[in-house]
Amino acid sequence: MRHVISVHDFSVEEIVEVLDRAEDMVRIAQGQATSDLLRGRVLACIFFEPSTRTRLSFETAMNRLGGGVIGFAGTEATSVVKGETLADTIRMVSGYADAVVLRHPREGAAKLATEFSSVPVINAGDGAGQHPTQTMLDLFTIRTETGRLEGLNISMVGDLRYGRTVHSLAIALAKFGNTINLVSPEGLEMPSEVTSYLRNMGMLGVACHSPEEVISNTDILYATRIQKERFPDLVEYEKVAGLYRVDPDLLSRGPEGMIVMHPLPRVNEITPEVDAMPQAKYFVQAFNGVPVRMALLSMVIGGK
Ligand code: NCD
């Protein structure tokens, strides 16, 4: 039984296998071919936190492979409001489905769920912890858009403290031999476990507070949202909200061929004028969630 909890659990070879398989899934993801690979199988998507892309792309992935989906988006209509524990919810749901996709506000929730689940658990985001399936689709996007997955300079910009997507992605990119620059407001720096990992791998680039400092040496600008919901004090949020803005002026100072990614949702981090520029890859990145999650589901549920 293969759980998908953290990028630490995946070797470079295993990640490449997911990406290769995702490439084979693209035509099915686009609706240009059909598949019944997972016919008769059921996926549970249980989301204790808001989501648009992650949940819908998992559901689409399962539907496109001929499987079925159960689950909930928000706990209002579930027994969680009656006080049911995560352990009991997982015990029960894992009896109804062949895999469980879990998003939860608490860091470590997905790992905990594996103790109670009789089927594979896929971490769709655990608080400020990790978001490994987002990382796979980010890597897929980087590979398809730049043609490679090593020797790149990636500048992560924004809330590196609470942003789970960058925690997972930084670790994975370092494994592949890419240099990571870390740009955050003061107080929202990358957690020390991740920074130490990058340093030990020899893949830590510049850590600073201004995108201007790294832009000329950036192949991929990875912008992120300030994670308002994780701030203990909203006054602190107000101080940093809107501090960074990716706009045509900033991009004009980047090298030829630079691309801009963002896990979305964006709030004000990227101005709408950027959307029509060739650097903008965040919507294709969001689409890539479908073939990549199809690949993962086929491996986790299909057992192949
Ligand atoms: C991210 C998340 O939920 O961590 N969204 C996503 O899954 N694409 C990023 C965010 O919420 O800012």
Side-chain angles (χ1 to χ4, degrees):
M1 183 160 76
R2 183 77 203 248
H3 301 291
V4 180
I5 305 302
S6 156
V7 287
H8 282 301
D9 308 336
F10 286 83
S11 67
V12 161
E13 293 73 27
E14 286 171 325
I15 293 173
V16 168
E17 196 189 333
V18 175
L19 306 192
D20 289 346
R21 195 179 276 229
E23 239 161 57
D24 297 337
M25 296 289 184
V26 169
R27 277 176 48 76
I28 308 168
Q30 290 169 332
Q32 288 171 9
T34 58
S35 167
D36 61 0
L37 192 66
L38 296 182
R39 191 174 49 193
R41 303 305 195 107
V42 176
L43 179 68
C45 291
I46 57 173
F47 279 62
F48 293 72
E49 257 197 350
S51 169
T52 301
R53 276 150 292 272
T54 304
R55 185 173 63 83
L56 296 182
S57 62
F58 263 114
E59 292 192 6
T60 299
M62 192 64 185
N63 283 313
R64 292 274 195 212
L65 291 176
V69 181
I70 60 164
F72 54 80
T75 54
E76 307 77 36
T78 73
S79 288
V80 174
V81 293
K82 299 182 186 171
E84 184 161 72
T85 61
L86 178 63
D88 282 358
T89 303
I90 294 292
R91 278 189 184 104
M92 213 234 353
V93 170
S94 69
Y96 296 162
D98 299 299
V100 177
V101 177
L102 170 71
R103 171 169 288 191
H104 199 280
R106 209 160 3 106
E107 201 169 325
K111 175 105 186 68
L112 182 74
T114 63
E115 290 176 29
F116 306 102
S117 180
S118 54
V119 299
V121 175
I122 301 175
N123 183 6
D126 60 324
Q130 288 231 356
H131 197 345
T133 69
Q134 176 73 42
T135 291
M136 306 259 185
L137 76 90
D138 290 345
L139 295 174
F140 184 80
T141 306
I142 292 169
R143 193 174 80 167
T144 47
E145 297 301 328
T146 71
R148 61 203 174 112
L149 212 43
E150 76 292 304
L152 295 162
N153 284 303
I154 293 93
S155 298
M156 299 184 164
V157 178
D159 184 349
L160 308 185
R161 177 178 182 180
Y162 296 119
R164 54 195 172 200
T165 66
V166 283
H167 299 166
S168 302
L169 182 59
I171 293 163
L173 284 169
K175 286 191 195 206
F176 278 92
N178 300 281
T179 303
I180 328 287
N181 299 316
L182 303 172
V183 184
S184 67
E186 228 151 310
L188 295 183
E189 286 87 2
M190 186 65 97
S192 57
E193 316 88 85
V194 180
T195 316
S196 308
Y197 183 84
L198 301 183
R199 193 176 292 117
N200 291 341
M201 301 283 281
M203 291 298 151
L204 180 60
V206 179
C208 63
H209 298 301
S210 164
E212 329 283 330
E213 271 186 54
V214 293
I215 191 74
S216 62
N217 187 27
T218 293
D219 299 307
I220 297 167
L221 186 66
Y222 194 95
T224 65
R225 178 178 69 87
I226 307 288
Q227 308 281 299
K228 184 178 183 182
E229 66 277 26
R230 309 220 189 280
F231 277 66
D233 181 355
L234 274 189
V235 176
E236 295 303 311
Y237 169 75
E238 298 299 340
K239 284 187 197 157
V240 291
L243 208 57
Y244 299 142
R245 190 157 294 217
V246 177
D247 60 14
D249 178 51
L250 180 70
L251 297 191
S252 70
R253 278 171 282 148
E256 179 85 26
M258 181 181 80
I259 64 168
V260 178
M261 294 173 63
H262 190 305
L264 302 177
R266 63 174 153 177
V267 183
N268 286 311
E269 305 86 44
I270 303 177
T271 61
E273 303 88 80
V274 175
D275 298 359
M277 296 175 72
Q279 290 96 328
K281 299 297 177 196
Y282 29 91
F283 292 119
V284 67
Q285 180 186 356
F287 166 76
N288 288 339
V290 180
V292 168
R293 289 176 171 127
M294 289 168 77
L296 275 168
L297 291 174
S298 73
M299 293 161 99
V300 165
I301 301 179
K304 295 183 219 156

